[in-house]
Structures are given as structure tokens and as C-alpha cells.
Amino acid sequence: MTHRQRRRPSLATGLPLFFLTYFARMSHQQSQGAVTDYAPQVGVQCPDVSINPLIRVFTPQNQSLHPREQEYIKGRQAVIEDAWADWLGDGSGVSYNVSAFAGHFPKVGMAIPGGGLRSAQYGAACLNGLDSRNERAKQAGTGGLLQVSSYLTGLSGGSWVTSSLVFNNWPTVEDLVFGNGKDLTGWLLDLSLATPDGVNILSDKNQEYYGSLLWSVMAKAQTGIDTSMTDPWSRMISFHFLNQTTRNNFFTNDSAHGAGQLFSKIPDIPAYQQHQMPFPILVADSRPVGSNLTTILGLDPIVYEITPLEFGSYDPNLSAMVNITYAGTHLTNGIPVNGSSCVTGFDQAGFMMGTSASLFNQLFDFARNTIAGFSDSDSAGLLYVLSRQLQEVRTRADDVANWPSPFNGLNPRTFEDSDATWLELLDGSSNQENIPYSPLFVRSRELDVIVTIEGSADDATAWPNGTGPIFSARRQSTILRASHQQFPPIPPTPDAFIETGVRARPTFFGCDPTQTPPEWPLMIYLPNAPPINGDDPATNTATFALSYTQKHQKLFFDQVFNLTTQGFTPNSQLPDPNFGVCLQCAAIDRARLKITPVPSRSAICTQCFQQYCFDPQNPPSKSALPGRKLAFVDPDPQGLTKVNGFLSSNMYKLIGGLAGLVGFLFVLILGLLWWRKRRERKTEYHQVSGLHDEDDAPWKRYSDSNTKTHEAYEMPEHRGSLVSR
Ligand SMILES: *[C@@H]1O[C@H](CO)[C@@H](O)[C@H](O)[C@H]1NC(C)=O
Ligand SMILES: *[C@@H]1O[C@H](CO)[C@@H](O)[C@H](O)[C@H]1NC(C)=O
Ligand SMILES: *[C@@H]1O[C@H](CO)[C@@H](O)[C@H](O)[C@H]1NC(C)=O
Ligand SMILES: *[C@@H]1O[C@H](CO)[C@@H](O)[C@H](O)[C@H]1NC(C)=O
Ligand SMILES: *[C@@H]1O[C@H](CO)[C@@H](O)[C@H](O)[C@H]1NC(C)=O
Ligand SMILES: *[C@@H]1O[C@H](CO)[C@@H](O)[C@H](O)[C@H]1NC(C)=O
Ligand SMILES: *[C@@H]1O[C@H](CO)[C@@H](O)[C@H](O)[C@H]1NC(C)=O
Ligand SMILES: *[C@@H]1O[C@H](CO)[C@@H](O)[C@H](O)[C@H]1NC(C)=O
Ligand SMILES: *[C@@H]1O[C@H](CO)[C@@H](O)[C@H](O)[C@H]1NC(C)=O
Ligand SMILES: *[C@@H]1O[C@H](CO)[C@@H](O)[C@H](O)[C@H]1NC(C)=O
């Protein structure tokens, strides 16, 4: 391979990786950077923290937003005033005098949950139905809600669509996902995240791909910052959701594949500068350091958020934020070790998405799925990359996203990781709050309307059953009482979510607050659901499917577009021609409460609310939704069906008690895989990759002389014995 021809001479002379990196950077300077741009910069001059503090601390009582977030939202509100007018016209549709609402429009936020490529696509397709740039959505009356939104939060798979929109300068969803034949090449979801060249993980192209991922990860590890499986995973995600990757350069190092793109650079993106996008926020959970939990978390551990400006949490027990530019810096009570110990570039966009989707409490889920039904090749690909990484670089906890803690020393009485120097971040759904609500309910953000783009797979047929909202409602009414708004009334259990049918058609929650100002925001809940016309559903796919055929993707998008734009007609399989107006009624309703005298709800909106609002006193029934088919039917069978069936029926049962066993099996597989590969290495690897020329591998030299030898890998004991033998 050309790459090897380039690298061999360096190997011969034993040039350390950082020279390779340097040359790679040089040769790519004119183009798109190098994959090694994934590495953060260490030893950066710190700002004078006595004048420009790197952290912001507050309490729930004096909670404040970052001044530049406030500024952004203010700028966005100006754009939004026009967007409301564009959406609602003169208001005759909703029968309000819209000009009376000027300056009082509700503040809207949207949330896209986790669920891998399913929820990323559900999120994308749903936004497509709410986007006024889409002519069909505009005609349906639903296109416009996106344009009046101030915030967009994403978690795990939801963080991928959110970040993808942002880092591609806020294109239309169809261009983003399917490509526009110009600068956008689409998400390329037919190329699996784990095995893009097909099932043979040892194929030349797969090897080049893994080599490229690992090259990025090793460049990061060289800086002394500990990596984990989250890092190669983040790189896999970047190939699809960040720009710079095309079908032609997928298996090359000719592009950085998004490696140098940073969250802190979002403010430079044109659409951000023009306030064309809602303010994006990603959500991640944390595992109490030292707990080594491999099961679902309780509701106590801090829930973090990542914005273009800050990383931290409004949870009362932490109440602190760090400047995102310096997020990889160890700080104690806000003070760096010394004036030149700062880290920048840790806020790499792929790693932010990877953190929010960090498997490894969840990887154990992954491994479990692997073991009994998950596509063998995908799991082999993932495990293979991890095993190779573990041979090459030091990791900390392999199964979490490792973040140097900027919050060491803060709030020792309430912040449980106050004495930790590293944070262990996890997939945002790890505490069962699969929907990234928490940033949207933060009191000082003052949201009036929250749109849930609900692509969770909860029940046995991979439809939502309210689990995410129920856990968030619980956390907000207990742990977050002081810092967050309350959740509107919802059915109290998953069974009730199912029986009332609110999980299978658009529903509005909290329509009628009892206090002024309202005690909760109004919630527009748009769940993934079977087609109303009785077609077989193609959208309740497995979270762990790592590729989609193009045919499936198209049908998926069309079905979700219909769901988003058609509403429902009770006791029938027909669309609701008024749904667009009803959605407008829900979005604008809180504006009434901001002016005096409060205008009464219009007749058309009252009618809409009777149909779409959840009234706990008089709950609806799923029997009003006849003829819906729940069972997934693969429109383009490629072996997905079996996987889906297994996963959805076993996913949650397996979590608790079996996790330990699963962890053990994972380790076993990892070890065996590694052992087998090691035996084959002399022949196989020699041909397909220079990476395993063990003794003269450049990063090894570098690490021997500069940081740690591989004997010093900080591997968890149980794993180390298998892997680093
Ligand atoms: C909020 O209050 C805390 C102590 O209660 C104080 O340390 C902090 O400086 C205050 N922050 C702001 C922004 O007022
Ligand atoms: C609509 O509201 C505006 C601003 O409050 C007011 O000037 C106008 O007279 C109202 N129009 C009608 C038809 O009530
Ligand atoms: C890719 O995204 C980055 C960051 O948003 C942007 O600066 C760059 O112009 C984009 N490149 C292309 C080819 O779209
Ligand atoms: C990209 O670089 C890595 C590290 O040198 C290598 O393993 C991989 O094979 C390269 N890929 C290609 C296509 O050259
Ligand atoms: C982060 O710190 C740098 C240096 O003090 C400053 O220029 C930048 O504005 C800060 N960013 C945020 C979001 O506070
Ligand atoms: C500053 O701290 C860093 C990280 O601990 C260390 O590597 C470096 O040597 C220190 N520099 C000085 C000038 O003390
Ligand atoms: C948060 O702080 C409260 C005390 O204010 C404590 O009871 C609770 O256990 C803390 N939660 C965690 C997760 O540390
Ligand atoms: C609802 O979903 C949760 C997981 O999100 C699952 O554990 C539970 O069994 C489901 N309940 C019903 C009634 O579907
Ligand atoms: C979407 O709805 C339209 C109108 O009801 C229907 O003709 C079309 O077949 C639907 N598309 C899908 C993919 O269900
Ligand atoms: C977690 O793992 C670390 C490293 O293997 C170990 O030192 C620690 O004792 C473990 N903690 C618990 C609670 O098991």
C-alpha cells in the first residue's frame, strides 16, 4: 500500500510518531488536516485564571448561563421573530392575532434521544418534517417548528444527528443524510461503523480503516492523555457524521475525517454566527469514580452537558462549568497545575459524540449483544480495534470516556467526584434518562415548550414506552428540584404509556398549567410509531444495527416524515388534515400567558388540544389507534431482522444480573481474539499493516523513551492479565 511505502523508511530510521504526525500535518496543511489532528495539544499556556477564570461556579439559587449563551439566544430570538411570522402567517390558521404576541413568543427546545443509528435517523427524519426549508413539510403546516427553536439537545445517537447538522453548517436534512452531489456526501450508513469493508475484519480495506482509527487514537495517547474504547468509537462515528469523508476517501488517510474539528470552534461556523441554528447541547452521564459499575446507573450520579462554550452540569451537587476550549485540563479548585499545563483540543467533535454514546458500561451491553445475536462481524470489528489499541497504548478505564477532571476540589460535600482527578463519562442513557431533557429544564434557560423527538426503543418491539420521560420526571422532582423546572404530568408507568396510546401518536403534555408563571413547560411528544395506514413498520430497528441499506434508509425516512406531518384521526387510519395547525397551536400556546389580558385559547386550538393533549383526569386509549402493526419487517433483508428480534426482546432483561457474566465473557472473547490474532500476526499483519511490527513500531519507541512502557499500562487488573500477556 502507498501508506506503507511512505512509512517504511520512517520505521527503518525509527522516527518517533510525533515526527510522522508532523509530516502528516505538513503534507495536509493545504488540504483537510491529518487523522492525527485528533490529538489534543498539551503543555498549552493557561490564561491568567485570576482574571479570566476557566470555571464558572454557581448555585441553584444564583444559577446563571454563560454570557455568550445568553447573547446567542438573544440573537437567535431576533431571527426567530421572523420565523414565527413565516410559520404562522397572519395567524388565521390558529385564529390568533399573532402580532399581539410580538416579543412574547415562547422559547422552544428540542431533544433527540439515544438509540444508535435508529434514533439518529429518526431524529433527522423528524426534523425534516419540522423544517420550513422542506416544501412538503411547510405545506403540511409542521415545517417551521425547527426554525422557531432556540435549543437542540442530543444524547448518544441523538448527539450524532445534532452534531452532524452543526458541523456541516446546518444544511437541510435530506442533503445531510443522502448527500447533495456537491459538498455533502451523505452519512454513508451502508458502510458499517465497525466493519465498513464487510465481514472480514482482516481484509485490506478494513485493516487500513482500523489502522487509521488507531493512528488517531495513538496520537492522542502520545500526549499522555489516557484513551479508551470511546476513542476509536469516536473516530468511527466521525467518518459518518462529520464532513471530510467520502466514499472515495473512506479507506484512506488523505482526509482528517473530521479529526481536527472542535466543539469550541462551533462559534466560527457561519450558520452559528448568523444564529440560523438552535444552540446545540450534548448530554453524557457519569459513573462515580472508583465504582467500576457495569450496570445501569441510579439517578444520583451527575449528568453533564457539553455546549459550544462549556462543559459541566447544572445539577445542584456540582453547579459548575468549565470553558470548553480547556476541557481536557486538570484543574484543582479551578487552578491549573502550573501556567503551562493547560490542554486544548480535547473537545474534539467526534469525541464529544463518542462520550455521549460511550458504550462501555454500555460496551458490556454491546458485548452481551455480540454474544447472542449481534452481527458477528460488527462485534468482531469493535473488539478487534480495542484489542489492538490495548496492545499499543495505555488506557485508563477502557470502558468509559476518560476526561481529565476540571472540577477537582469543588463542592466536596455534595459533588461525589470532587476528589477525583479523572471523570468517567458514559452514554447519556446510562441512568435510563434516554432523552436529553436535563439541559432543557434548567431554570435559567426559561424554556416554554419542549419537543421530544422520541426515537427510543423501549419495549419488546423496539417502540418507546415512556421509560425516558418517566425517569427524567423522577429525577427532576427529586434531585433537580432546586435547579430545574418540573416535568409536566405524564402517564406514571410504561404500561400506562402503552395503554393510553400516547406513545404511538403525537401527544401534548402539560397543556393546562395551574400556576402563573406555569410550573412546567408544555411538551410536544413526537414518538416513533407504526405507520398510521397499517403498513409494516421499518423504523423500529435495533439500536445496535451499525449499517443500513440505502433502500431501508429511504423507507425509514418516508415513514417518519409521514408520522411527523400527518398526526392521527381517532378511530381511523387516516391522517389529520389539521395536524399542522394543531402543532402550531401547541407551539404558540404559551405566548398567550405572557401578555395581559391573557387571550383565551382559540376555538380551533381548543379542538386540537382536546385531541392531542394528555389529560390525566380523562386519559385516552390506544384503542383509538386501530390497525397499527407493531412488528418490524425488514424492507431489505440483510440479516438485520434476527438481530433486531433478539435485541429488542432481551435488551433490558439482560442488563441487571447478567452484566457481570457478560463482562466476563467480553474479557474472554477479547483475550481469545487477541491471542488468535497474535498467533496469526507474523503472517497476516505483516501483509496488511505495518502496525504490528511489534518491536520497531514507532509509537513504542516514542513511548519507551518518553512516557510509559507497555509494562506500565494502567490496565484494570482483571483485564490486564488477559490482554497484556
Ligand atoms: C453564586 O453563589 C456562590 C456561593 O453561593 C458563589 O461562590 C458564586 O460566586 C456565585 N456566583 C455568581 C455567578 O454569582
Ligand atoms: C392585533 O394586535 C395588534 C398589536 O397588539 C393590535 O395593534 C391590532 O389592533 C390587533 N388586531 C386585531 C384585529 O385585533
Ligand atoms: C467541514 O466542516 C468544518 C467545520 O464545520 C468546516 O470548517 C469546513 O468548511 C467543512 N468542510 C467542507 C468541505 O464542508
Ligand atoms: C492510515 O494510517 C495508519 C497508520 O499509519 C495505517 O495503519 C493505515 O493503514 C493507513 N491507511 C491507509 C489507507 O493508508
Ligand atoms: C475560554 O477561555 C479563553 C481564554 O481566557 C477565552 O478567550 C474564551 O473566550 C473562553 N471561552 C468561553 C466560552 O468562555
Ligand atoms: C507544568 O505541569 C505539567 C503537567 O503536570 C508538567 O509536565 C510541567 O513540567 C510543568 N511545568 C513547569 C514549568 O513546572
Ligand atoms: C448530593 O448532595 C446531597 C446533599 O446535599 C447528598 O445527600 C446526595 O447524596 C448527593 N448526591 C450524590 C450523588 O453525591
Ligand atoms: C418499557 O421499557 C423498559 C426499558 O426501557 C423495559 O424494561 C420495560 O420492560 C418496558 N415495559 C413495557 C411494559 O413495555
Ligand atoms: C405517506 O403518506 C402518503 C399519504 O397518505 C402515502 O401515499 C404514502 O404511501 C406514505 N408513505 C409511506 C412511506 O408510508
Ligand atoms: C475499581 O477498579 C480499580 C482498578 O482495577 C480498583 O483499584 C478498585 O478497587 C475497584 N473499585 C471497586 C469498588 O471495585
Side-chain angles (χ1 to χ4, degrees):
M1 291 312 299
T2 52
H3 140 73
R4 212 165 50 231
Q5 282 151 12
R6 265 189 275 117
R7 254 179 91 244
R8 282 294 170 186
S10 338
L11 285 175
T13 56
L15 270 181
L17 178 64
F18 98 91
F19 273 118
L20 288 181
T21 309
Y22 178 74
F23 287 131
R25 274 177 210 259
M26 291 295 286
S27 64
H28 283 89
Q29 231 165 35
Q30 253 66 42
S31 55
Q32 302 196 311
V35 294
T36 47
D37 294 349
Y38 184 69
Q41 284 75 53
V42 298
V44 173
Q45 197 66 36
C46 300
D48 180 349
V49 293
S50 62
I51 302 165
N52 295 307
L54 287 175
I55 59 170
R56 240 166 28 86
V57 292
F58 42 86
T59 62
Q61 288 69 41
N62 71 1
Q63 187 185 68
S64 61
L65 301 179
H66 193 288
R68 280 166 59 196
E69 179 181 331
Q70 280 174 300
E71 219 173 273
Y72 186 84
I73 296 302
K74 216 167 140 220
R76 174 85 181 145
Q77 294 296 71
V79 172
I80 283 179
E81 290 274 329
D82 295 339
W84 279 107
D86 184 53
W87 190 26
L88 302 183
D90 62 1
S92 56
V94 287
S95 292
Y96 290 122
N97 178 2
V98 173
S99 48
F101 294 153
H104 304 285
F105 287 114
K107 202 179 277 181
V108 180
M110 298 185 160
I112 309 184
L117 295 180
R118 181 199 59 256
S119 72
Q121 292 180 96
Y122 180 76
C126 191
L127 291 184
N128 194 27
L130 305 176
D131 189 336
S132 67
R133 294 173 296 179
N134 180 318
E135 203 43 54
R136 282 167 58 219
K138 183 126 171 80
Q139 258 162 32
T142 52
L145 183 55
L146 179 58
Q147 275 66 31
V148 302
S149 298
S150 294
Y151 287 94
L152 176 63
T153 60
L155 180 159
S156 200
S159 80
W160 306 346
V161 51
T162 302
S163 306
S164 193
L165 281 162
V166 169
F167 280 93
N168 285 285
N169 196 27
W170 206 253
T172 63
V173 167
E174 281 170 24
D175 284 359
L176 179 68
V177 175
F178 298 105
N180 61 2
K182 290 180 285 190
D183 53 330
L184 300 171
T185 54
W187 280 353
L188 307 175
L189 297 188
D190 52 312
L191 302 173
S192 166
L193 268 71
T195 55
D197 186 42
V199 298
N200 178 8
I201 59 175
L202 294 175
S203 80
D204 281 6
K205 281 181 164 177
N206 276 337
Q207 285 294 312
E208 283 160 7
Y209 173 68
Y210 301 140
S212 176
L213 306 181
L214 290 170
W215 200 16
S216 297
V217 176
M218 284 164 200
K220 176 173 176 180
Q222 297 311 314
T223 68
I225 295 174
D226 292 328
T227 61
S228 74
M229 183 68 202
T230 305
D231 292 275
W233 175 234
S234 300
R235 293 300 294 142
M236 292 178 185
I237 294 165
S238 302
F239 276 56
H240 297 270
F241 294 99
L242 297 179
N243 63 18
Q244 299 184 321
T245 300
T246 66
R247 228 169 256 287
N248 288 333
N249 73 14
F250 199 96
F251 297 98
T252 74
N253 291 324
D254 297 348
S255 154
H257 301 291
Q261 300 185 8
L262 305 179
F263 245 65
S264 54
K265 297 285 186 206
I266 291 175
D268 295 341
I269 293 172
Y272 184 99
Q273 294 193 331
Q274 294 150 20
H275 303 100
Q276 292 298 321
M277 58 171 85
F279 189 77
I281 305 178
L282 310 189
V283 170
D285 286 347
S286 62
R287 172 170 85 177
V289 173
S291 72
N292 307 343
L293 276 174
T294 59
T295 54
I296 278 177
L297 300 172
L299 291 175
D300 274 348
I302 301 288
V303 173
Y304 287 90
E305 62 171 60
I306 301 163
T307 82
L309 306 171
E310 299 184 295
F311 162 70
S313 182
Y314 289 90
D315 285 12
N317 281 17
L318 177 52
S319 295
M321 290 284 174
V322 68
N323 182 327
I324 188 75
T325 304
Y326 295 93
T329 306
H330 287 289
L331 301 173
T332 298
N333 295 312
I335 316 279
V337 177
N338 60 45
S340 56
S341 69
C342 278
V343 173
T344 57
F346 186 82
D347 55 322
Q348 202 277 327
F351 188 65
M352 301 300 100
M353 293 188 260
T355 294
S356 181
S358 189
L359 303 169
F360 309 104
N361 209 345
Q362 302 263 336
L363 177 80
F364 291 121
D365 296 4
F366 231 81
R368 175 200 67 208
N369 293 315
T370 299
I371 291 158
F374 191 59
S375 140
D376 290 346
S377 57
D378 283 347
S379 59
L382 288 165
L383 296 174
Y384 173 75
V385 172
L386 179 59
S387 69
R388 271 180 53 178
Q389 181 185 355
L390 292 179
Q391 291 165 63
E392 313 301 358
V393 301
R394 193 173 70 132
T395 61
R396 179 161 292 271
D398 313 336
D399 60 345
V400 300
N402 292 302
W403 285 55
S405 178
F407 303 125
N408 180 264
L410 297 190
N411 298 345
R413 270 175 315 169
T414 57
F415 175 42
E416 66 187 343
D417 287 333
S418 183
D419 58 358
T421 52
W422 290 77
L423 298 175
E424 301 190 348
L425 302 192
L426 295 173
D427 191 290
S429 70
S430 304
N431 67 357
Q432 306 213 64
E433 286 187 283
N434 193 36
I435 300 165
Y437 283 131
S438 107
L440 299 178
F441 281 84
V442 165
R443 283 188 192 279
S444 49
R445 291 203 168 108
E446 301 178 320
L447 264 68
D448 300 296
V449 179
I450 291 176
V451 183
T452 307
I453 299 185
E454 169 64 305
S456 304
D458 291 328
D459 77 357
T461 42
W463 300 112
N465 72 11
T467 297
I470 289 167
F471 277 91
S472 287
R474 193 175 298 163
R475 191 162 194 270
Q476 281 165 216
S477 65
T478 52
I479 292 170
L480 303 183
R481 245 200 129 72
S483 52
H484 287 60
Q485 291 196 64
Q486 291 308 290
F487 213 84
I490 54 174
T493 64
D495 281 323
F497 254 83
I498 294 170
E499 289 312 311
T500 54
V502 297
R503 59 95 174 235
R505 44 86 162 183
T507 303
F508 309 151
F509 294 111
C511 294
D512 295 300
T514 60
Q515 298 170 16
T516 327
E519 63 269 47
W520 52 61
L522 187 150
M523 179 172 291
I524 297 173
Y525 184 76
L526 303 174
N528 188 16
I532 61 173
N533 64 7
D535 281 357
D536 287 325
T539 63
N540 52 334
T541 44
T543 295
F544 299 93
L546 293 186
S547 68
Y548 281 77
T549 66
Q550 287 178 347
K551 183 178 169 197
H552 188 175
Q553 247 188 302
K554 289 271 185 219
L555 181 62
F556 192 119
F557 267 71
D558 290 344
Q559 288 192 351
V560 175
F561 185 84
N562 276 3
L563 278 179
T564 308
T565 52
Q566 293 183 344
F568 77 109
T569 301
N571 307 308
S572 96
Q573 293 181 281
L574 296 173
D576 173 3
N578 275 334
F579 182 60
V581 167
C582 290
L583 193 71
Q584 295 172 12
C585 286
I588 197 69
D589 196 64
R590 290 294 166 91
R592 293 186 304 112
L593 309 184
K594 292 174 188 262
I595 56 179
T596 34
V598 173
S600 52
R601 199 171 274 156
S602 68
I604 175 76
C605 289
T606 302
Q607 189 190 320
C608 282
F609 275 33
Q610 266 157 18
Q611 178 169 337
Y612 287 98
C613 286
F614 170 71
D615 175 0
Q617 270 24 88
N618 183 18
S621 162
K622 71 173 182 191
S623 66
L625 309 171
R628 287 3 180 221
K629 289 192 186 142
L630 291 176
F632 173 77
V633 175
D634 191 340
D636 194 11
Q638 306 250 329
L640 187 66
T641 317
K642 203 181 91 216
V643 179
N644 190 59
F646 171 81
L647 287 180
S648 46
S649 57
N650 293 279
M651 189 149 136
Y652 290 95
K653 273 183 246 155
L654 284 165
I655 283 180
L658 283 187
L661 175 63
V662 163
F664 172 73
L665 288 174
F666 166 67
V667 170
L668 197 68
I669 286 180
L670 187 70
L672 290 175
L673 197 90
W674 178 81
W675 183 249
R676 186 158 57 84
K677 294 300 171 286
R678 191 181 134 115
R679 282 185 17 230
E680 290 164 9
R681 181 176 310 153
K682 283 288 176 285
T683 51
E684 287 276 10
Y685 287 6
H686 198 68
Q687 290 154 21
V688 295
S689 159
L691 275 171
H692 283 262
D693 296 357
E694 292 193 79
D695 297 318
D696 55 0
W699 56 85
K700 290 231 163 136
R701 302 217 164 169
Y702 185 71
S703 61
D704 284 349
S705 55
N706 289 281
T707 51
K708 307 268 197 260
T709 64
H710 42 281
E711 278 84 298
Y713 292 169
E714 282 183 24
M715 221 87 75
E717 211 190 329
H718 58 288
R719 227 162 289 168
S721 60
L722 274 160
V723 182
S724 61
R725 184 179 307 147

